[in-house]
Amino acid sequence: MLFKNVLAISATATIATAEDVYLYVKSSNSEINGNSLSSLHEGAGINYFFLGSAPASALTYDSDMKTIYSSYSGLTQYFTVYEGFTGLTVIGPNAELTFDDNNTLLINGTSDSLYACKNTNDPYRYSEKEYGLMHYSADAPSECIPLSLVNGDAASSSAAPSGSASATTTTAAETTTVSTSCTSTAPAASTYTGAANQNAPAGAFAAFAAAAAAALL
Ligand SMILES: *[C@@H]1O[C@H](CO)[C@@H](O)[C@H](O)[C@H]1NC(C)=O
Ligand SMILES: *[C@@H]1O[C@H](CO)[C@@H](O)[C@H](O)[C@H]1NC(C)=O
């Protein structure tokens, strides 16, 4: 009985502090301004963020935990920043995420650290064609484009192209299907182990995952 009450309370607390957010790119560069984020599979439980033109998928913002996550088919992945890369990972949150008065995402209190970059040496090399969403506190590569992320309402954002909530849901399902098929067609991550050693930070999240797993032992 008591256990049941605890469950009920924690469920209520979760609902009270979690809200859907839809992240869009704001940049003076018109090529990327208004882009949404897609997250592509780059390793087990690890997706990297890339810029795209589809309506943004809903992510969940927890203002108590100061974290953003996605729960899909029972898998919870957190907005993670590590060695330049950003993505949704099972590793867990590692920066404080908040929004300022203008709905701009702040990472550890600043909106000045996000960039769109190509050729980031991500494990599956999507960044040869797509802009990856990268995080640099200082010394961003000069060819990267500075940007900020804004929480645009799904249906009526000034930053966002308009799109209905149901369209967004469909897109989320399609995105997952796409990234699953990428899993089966993309070369095994181990193919790039050699490259990762030569060209840090390839596979940075994978290294992080290994470190996190080791810390749990
Ligand atoms: C954010 O701040 C925490 C605490 O100081 C630090 O451990 C973490 O590495 C920071 N994250 C980023 C992405 O700067
Ligand atoms: C929000 O936007 C207004 C108007 O552009 C600006 O004056 C204000 O400084 C912004 N607030 C923050 C927290 O950036």
Side-chain angles (χ1 to χ4, degrees):
M1 192 60 152
L2 182 60
F3 182 56
K4 211 173 169 184
N5 287 341
V6 170
L7 281 184
I9 289 163
S10 70
T12 307
T14 303
I15 289 161
T17 61
E19 60 170 303
D20 281 355
V21 292
Y22 300 84
L23 299 179
Y24 286 95
V25 169
K26 196 172 163 188
S27 170
S28 57
N29 179 302
S30 60
E31 191 189 348
I32 63 167
N33 187 43
N35 272 192
S36 60
L37 298 184
S38 56
S39 74
L40 300 180
H41 177 96
E42 296 260 16
I46 295 172
N47 291 38
Y48 287 16
F49 280 131
F50 291 87
L51 274 55
S53 53
S57 303
L59 296 172
T60 307
Y61 175 56
D62 185 323
S63 55
D64 274 357
M65 301 298 294
K66 297 188 168 61
T67 190
I68 289 175
Y69 61 89
S70 142
S71 284
Y72 195 82
S73 300
L75 181 69
T76 299
Q77 292 175 293
Y78 297 91
F79 190 119
T80 313
V81 174
Y82 189 71
E83 290 197 354
F85 291 106
T86 70
L88 288 172
T89 80
V90 293
I91 298 161
N94 66 338
E96 240 180 46
L97 304 181
T98 51
F99 289 91
D100 75 9
D101 292 345
N102 294 335
N103 287 326
T104 301
L105 179 70
L106 307 179
I107 298 178
N108 274 0
T110 179
S111 61
D112 288 342
S113 51
L114 291 172
Y115 297 82
C117 312
K118 283 191 174 167
N119 300 312
T120 60
N121 201 19
D122 59 306
Y124 288 172
R125 304 190 173 183
Y126 295 121
S127 66
E128 288 172 8
K129 295 201 171 103
E130 313 290 336
Y131 281 110
L133 178 71
M134 303 297 284
H135 176 275
Y136 297 105
S137 302
D139 302 325
S142 57
E143 64 273 25
C144 291
I145 307 168
L147 61 85
S148 55
L149 290 177
V150 175
N151 177 20
D153 192 271
S156 63
S157 163
S158 51
S162 60
S164 73
S166 62
T168 305
T169 305
T170 309
T171 305
E174 282 166 359
T175 303
T176 302
T177 308
V178 168
S179 68
T180 304
S181 67
C182 286
T183 309
S184 55
T185 55
S190 60
T191 307
Y192 293 115
T193 303
N197 291 340
Q198 289 158 30
N199 306 311
F205 277 132
F208 186 22
L216 292 176
L217 293 177

